[in-house]
Amino acid sequence: GASAVVARLPNIGFAPSALTEKGFETRGSFTVRKSRAGESFYLRVYGKLNHNIRCTLRGYRNLMGDFTGNTVYTGFKKIYSGKSQLQTGHVPRGIVGEFDIMTCRDLGNGEVQYFRIRYD
């Protein structure tokens, strides 16, 4: 059988995120907008003016059956950097039960915010 690493997730709750429901979300000094592009999507991240920012997008999967309640990494990880703002390339849409978490860090003041994108 395959082995998996149980994921340690940030404490951002289980309710649907505004990013998933409305296509944008603001947390702290970051705003993330999601746009569709065919079967993919891309994200635009806006931070403080003239601050260097770095965002990491990671994929996760909720397990089913005997393993219900556990979440594992899918192995998907991309890192993006920019000044004041950044845009991801096309990100393939996940499958039901998968979700991504984007971790955004302001490299000037150390602020960190988390954004969740679901595929249900």
Side-chain angles (χ1 to χ4, degrees):
S3 62
V5 176
V6 175
R8 293 181 312 168
L9 300 172
N11 186 15
I12 56 175
F14 296 102
S17 70
L19 187 57
T20 299
E21 297 291 314
K22 298 179 181 174
F24 70 93
E25 185 171 4
T26 298
R27 289 178 175 259
S29 65
F30 290 98
T31 297
V32 177
R33 293 194 170 274
K34 179 178 153 185
S35 299
R36 288 200 180 272
E39 293 297 314
S40 300
F41 67 91
Y42 61 92
L43 301 168
R44 289 188 179 138
V45 180
Y46 303 92
K48 285 187 174 182
L49 187 62
N50 292 323
H51 280 230
N52 290 318
I53 58 177
R54 182 177 65 227
C55 296
T56 303
L57 187 63
R58 288 182 189 258
Y60 299 90
R61 178 175 297 133
N62 290 319
L63 298 179
M64 307 283 188
D66 292 342
F67 303 101
T68 298
N70 289 313
T71 303
V72 295
Y73 297 109
T74 63
F76 178 82
K77 177 182 174 183
K78 296 233 177 178
I79 299 172
Y80 307 94
S81 298
K83 187 165 190 133
S84 302
Q85 62 183 336
L86 59 86
Q87 179 175 314
T88 68
H90 288 267
V91 177
R93 183 174 161 78
I95 61 173
V96 172
E98 288 186 350
F99 62 96
D100 292 338
I101 293 182
M102 178 169 267
T103 305
C104 294
R105 180 181 304 273
D106 184 314
L107 300 177
N109 63 21
E111 177 187 0
V112 177
Q113 297 294 338
Y114 302 96
F115 300 88
R116 183 181 57 235
I117 305 112
R118 285 204 182 275
Y119 306 104
D120 294 335

